[in-house]
Amino acid sequence: MRPAEDRSTRTWRQLLAHPLSKAARESAAAWLARMPSGTQPLWVGRGAPSDVPKANPAQVAHWLGREADAIVFEAPWPLPADALAIVGGLLRGGGVLLLLVGTPGTGAFGRRWTKALRQAPVQWVGEDILEWPGPSATGNATWSWTQDQRRGLQALKQLAPGECGALIADRGRGKSTLLGEWIAEQRDAGAKVLVTAPNAGAVRALFRQLERHPGAPVPFCAPDQLETLATPPDTLVIDEAAALPVDRLVRLARHARRLVLSTTTGGFEGSGQGFRLRALPALQRSGFRVREIGLAQPVRWASDDPLEAWLDSLFLMRAESRTPAPQALQFDWLCGHELACDERRLEDLAGLLADAHYRTRPSDLARWLEDARVHLMLLTGTHDNTLFGVALAQEEGGLTPQLAEAVWAGERRPQGHFLPCTLAARGEFELASRTWWRIQRLAVHPAWQGRGLGSRLLRAVEERAAHCGVPLVGTSFGLQSALVRFWAQAGWQPVRVGERPDPASGEVSVILAKAMAQDIVTAVDAASASFARDWRDTGAEYLGDPTGRRRQALEAMLPPNGASPAANHAHDIEEVRAFAQRQRPLEWALPALLRQLEAAPPVDPEGRLLAASLAAPVDWTWLARELGVSGRRGVTRRLRRAARAWLEARGL
């Protein structure tokens, strides 16, 4: 398919609402059954008829890249906000979204949702489904290119070696289709093109467009695999590039002579202006000449579509921050329901977090407004109240001894207790029993970064926590050198590094802590020293750090070798026993297992099997093949059995 003239029939979409009930589900099913042939329906929720395509709210992201003409969306309370935002991008022009609305909550976001349901374009419908409007167009209409897409295609064709084309747009603007078309032309001209993205699901629509043009396959390569390639491609395409940390993006870019980036800057998957403000200048500094290519005109619906505007307003998906002018500064400490009363400040907050490259989802906004355990520290101007920076902290309660032990054994994982569970998993039960504040966001307006405002915000949160009697503060983020150095300078200590990279960022996470109460300082020091010992034994192998910079930054935070406690034999045996007889994950028990196998090399067959199988990082695919079992679960079952036999052979 080659570019054709624009269609003039891109139309508005309709939004219907009806109270949620069993009878309402039956009426919605009957409404869908009346749709004309060719209509593509979708039901999001648990009440779908057997003959209608359906998705659970948590799985609706798997539908990205597909389209529907009529969508029934069950909207109980709590509202599945992320799923609703995704659904807004699946509905074609002329389509209808029917909300089956449960009783909203009475909190700040519940009130926001109730207010939105009273606004245009929401049309409340009654019991008579004959009066419910249906789609005005179906997927049988001929698709065509927008003027934006044609201009974008021409701009990509003009890219020379050493140049980077940055394709930037909101959702639904046809970026993936444009990329698929351009890649097909490059492939047919003999260019070696390689595609990467944070995950393979992000490029489904791109490859679907590519399949319209038969030819040699274009490979997809995961980011970590790309960094090991011996021969770089002529052209590297990175889709959803804003989801990758800037330093990783630059490393990937160095593997190609010519670079094309595509990213969403607004909506549920976007990261706002942070991509322009941080990633593109970094690529220019690394030697690329950057050309920005914008797409503004929607592909599947009208430019002034009321449903898109309604969702954007509800979830602040296009919020923009204001650039502060020089002035004196002050700190404001508030909670979500206070923030909800000031729409301008709420928009500033959402815009600032987008500018700072945070991926803020609709569910985040709902949680900030609803959860009384969320605390916000705002750094504002005294003259005009403009937002310079924000820190957002989530209170997390401690675990009971019984629950902490069950977490350590791999048998429980309670939600809403990330830091206590992290420390319990390492056997730091005293720290796991305490209340924490977890700093989830720390952002400064891009125009004012590099002037110490982030450090001022961090100190203000620490002082507030101490004043409120909170004994511990912690945080977690993708391990990047600059971030590690920032927190290290503030006196924070590492207590754990994740075993697997985050699927979006490609980075392993580091968890840091700091004591706010004097009686807990020793426990934090001990936890960091214990982590340092295990890190030096096995942890560094998980990092996947070809330059060594992240490892150096992290190890600069660690206590010296002599400060780490010697391994405790009895504790190591308990770790091994918990792996063998309970559900403790292999990665958690691996340092203890390797120490014990080295200290007392096994002579029994099962012990030798265990020793021969284990190394850091764990290669599950190789182990499954060597052990003759299927997948990760099969490997785990076989190694648990070997560990039990080894313990019995030692009389333990």
Side-chain angles (χ1 to χ4, degrees):
M1 184 181 71
R2 291 294 183 260
E5 291 301 314
D6 286 346
R7 279 174 52 211
S8 60
T9 56
R10 291 188 175 91
T11 54
W12 283 5
R13 300 172 296 171
Q14 297 184 75
L15 177 59
L16 312 181
H18 188 281
L20 176 62
S21 66
K22 180 180 178 181
R25 291 190 179 100
E26 294 171 353
S27 296
W31 174 68
L32 289 178
R34 298 181 61 252
M35 298 290 170
S37 175
T39 300
Q40 296 294 322
L42 172 65
W43 190 299
V44 180
R46 63 185 181 87
S50 59
D51 58 343
V52 174
K54 58 182 177 294
N56 293 324
Q59 299 171 334
V60 75
H62 296 313
W63 276 72
L64 286 171
R66 290 187 270 182
E67 298 178 342
D69 301 300
I71 300 177
V72 176
F73 186 92
E74 295 185 30
W77 197 259
L79 178 72
D82 294 337
L84 178 56
I86 292 171
V87 159
L90 304 180
L91 192 66
R92 293 188 183 101
V96 180
L97 171 60
L98 170 62
L99 300 176
L100 300 182
V101 182
T103 303
T106 58
F109 186 74
R111 294 193 298 273
R112 184 179 185 88
W113 173 237
T114 299
K115 180 180 178 182
L117 291 171
R118 299 192 187 108
Q119 298 172 343
V122 182
Q123 177 185 346
W124 285 85
V125 293
E127 302 298 329
D128 187 357
I129 63 169
L130 297 178
E131 296 181 358
W132 296 9
S136 60
T138 71
N140 295 325
T142 303
W143 184 88
S144 62
W145 288 65
T146 66
Q147 291 283 359
D148 279 351
Q149 286 178 309
R150 286 200 292 273
R151 284 193 292 265
L153 187 59
Q154 286 302 117
L156 289 177
K157 288 179 180 179
Q158 296 168 5
L159 286 179
E163 288 194 323
C164 167
L167 190 60
I168 300 173
D170 286 343
R171 58 199 171 121
R173 267 60 183 175
K175 299 185 302 300
S176 297
T177 303
L178 170 57
L179 274 180
E181 185 75 17
W182 178 76
I183 290 171
E185 294 186 6
Q186 296 300 304
R187 175 201 59 193
D188 295 346
K192 181 183 177 183
V193 182
L194 190 147
V195 177
T196 191
N199 58 76
V203 293
R204 280 196 299 261
L206 186 159
F207 278 98
R208 193 157 49 245
Q209 178 68 17
L210 191 55
E211 289 168 0
R212 295 173 180 264
H213 306 288
V218 173
F220 171 83
C221 187
D224 56 344
Q225 297 172 327
L226 176 61
E227 295 190 65
T228 65
L229 289 182
T231 305
D234 296 327
T235 301
L236 175 63
V237 176
I238 306 178
D239 205 0
E240 291 304 340
L244 296 171
V246 173
D247 61 342
R248 187 171 179 83
L249 189 63
V250 171
R251 291 201 309 272
L252 295 177
R254 291 174 180 150
H255 288 264
R257 297 170 58 244
R258 187 172 55 165
L259 182 66
V260 175
L261 309 178
S262 172
T263 198
T264 307
T265 55
F268 63 92
E269 71 277 73
S271 58
Q273 301 303 312
F275 183 74
R276 287 191 177 97
L277 296 168
R278 298 173 62 186
L280 297 187
L283 288 168
Q284 289 174 325
R285 290 192 297 271
S286 70
F288 281 95
R289 297 184 299 276
V290 176
R291 288 192 189 188
E292 285 193 42
I293 304 167
L295 301 177
Q297 185 177 352
V299 169
R300 296 191 297 273
W301 53 79
S303 297
D304 56 349
D305 179 68
L307 174 59
E308 182 176 50
W310 183 79
L311 287 170
D312 287 344
S313 175
L314 171 62
F315 296 128
L316 300 177
M317 291 194 288
R318 295 195 189 184
E320 296 181 355
S321 63
R322 296 174 288 172
T323 301
Q327 58 193 289
L329 301 178
Q330 63 186 5
F331 289 106
D332 291 327
W333 187 253
L334 69 162
C335 56
H337 72 85
E338 294 171 317
L339 186 66
C341 298
D342 189 339
E343 185 70 16
R344 175 68 261 187
R345 180 165 286 193
L346 184 59
E347 290 181 15
D348 282 347
L349 171 66
L352 176 58
L353 291 174
D355 287 349
H357 213 196
Y358 282 113
R359 298 184 68 198
T360 299
R361 298 183 182 274
S363 57
D364 293 323
L365 177 66
R367 181 172 53 82
W368 298 341
L369 296 182
E370 288 283 316
D371 194 340
R373 299 172 303 166
V374 171
H375 308 282
L376 296 127
M377 177 72 79
L378 307 185
L379 184 60
T380 60
T382 58
H383 175 65
D384 59 11
N385 217 29
T386 311
L387 190 61
F388 281 74
V390 60
L392 186 150
Q394 171 82 50
E395 182 179 325
E396 297 182 341
L399 308 179
T400 65
Q402 295 81 6
L403 182 54
E405 199 274 342
V407 170
W408 173 82
E411 297 167 349
R412 295 284 303 277
R413 188 70 181 182
Q415 297 296 313
H417 301 273
F418 174 78
L419 289 173
C421 286
T422 295
L423 273 298
R426 285 202 49 82
E428 306 292 349
F429 296 146
E430 180 182 3
L431 297 179
S433 70
R434 300 297 189 104
T435 298
W436 291 71
W437 275 3
R438 176 160 63 106
I439 299 178
Q440 296 182 318
R441 301 286 193 273
L442 187 70
V444 172
H445 192 283
W448 287 88
Q449 291 173 1
R451 308 189 193 196
L453 298 187
S455 297
R456 289 179 62 180
L457 266 171
L458 183 55
R459 286 196 301 271
V461 174
E462 293 172 0
E463 291 168 1
R464 181 74 180 191
H467 175 75
C468 293
V470 177
L472 290 157
V473 288
T475 192
S476 173
F477 53 84
L479 207 164
Q480 299 176 54
S481 304
L483 286 176
V484 169
R485 287 193 293 269
F486 169 82
W487 292 87
Q489 290 168 0
W492 288 56
Q493 297 173 269
V495 293
R496 188 174 181 183
V497 168
E499 294 87 12
R500 290 187 293 276
D502 179 87
S505 71
E507 309 286 1
V508 297
S509 295
V510 59
I511 296 93
L512 307 179
K514 189 173 184 179
M516 294 292 100
Q518 193 60 39
D519 68 332
I520 209 74
V521 169
T522 301
V524 173
D525 290 342
S528 185
S530 174
F531 158 74
R533 179 199 63 214
D534 289 349
W535 165 263
R536 292 181 174 114
D537 286 347
T538 63
E541 303 302 325
Y542 288 100
L543 197 51
D545 183 20
T547 67
R549 286 194 294 268
R550 287 175 293 159
R551 178 172 180 169
Q552 292 170 8
L554 178 63
E555 291 185 348
M557 299 180 75
L558 300 179
N561 268 319
S564 295
N568 183 296
H569 171 76
H571 179 75
D572 278 358
I573 293 300
E574 284 303 310
E575 291 260 357
V576 177
R577 189 174 287 117
F579 167 69
Q581 301 174 356
R582 301 178 72 179
Q583 297 299 314
R584 187 160 175 77
L586 175 60
E587 293 96 336
W588 294 6
L590 188 59
L593 263 169
L594 292 177
R595 282 193 294 265
Q596 289 300 309
L597 290 168
E598 181 181 5
V603 294
D604 63 289
E606 290 294 280
R608 288 200 300 269
L609 170 68
L610 199 61
S613 301
L614 296 181
V618 178
D619 188 335
W620 295 97
T621 302
W622 177 84
L623 279 175
R625 184 171 59 250
E626 291 297 306
L627 297 174
V629 296
S630 176
R632 186 185 183 108
R633 289 185 178 180
V635 170
T636 301
R637 283 194 297 268
R638 183 66 185 88
L639 292 182
R640 288 194 199 279
R641 191 173 76 191
R644 287 195 295 270
W646 175 64
L647 286 168
E648 291 171 3
R650 295 184 63 188
L652 297 172

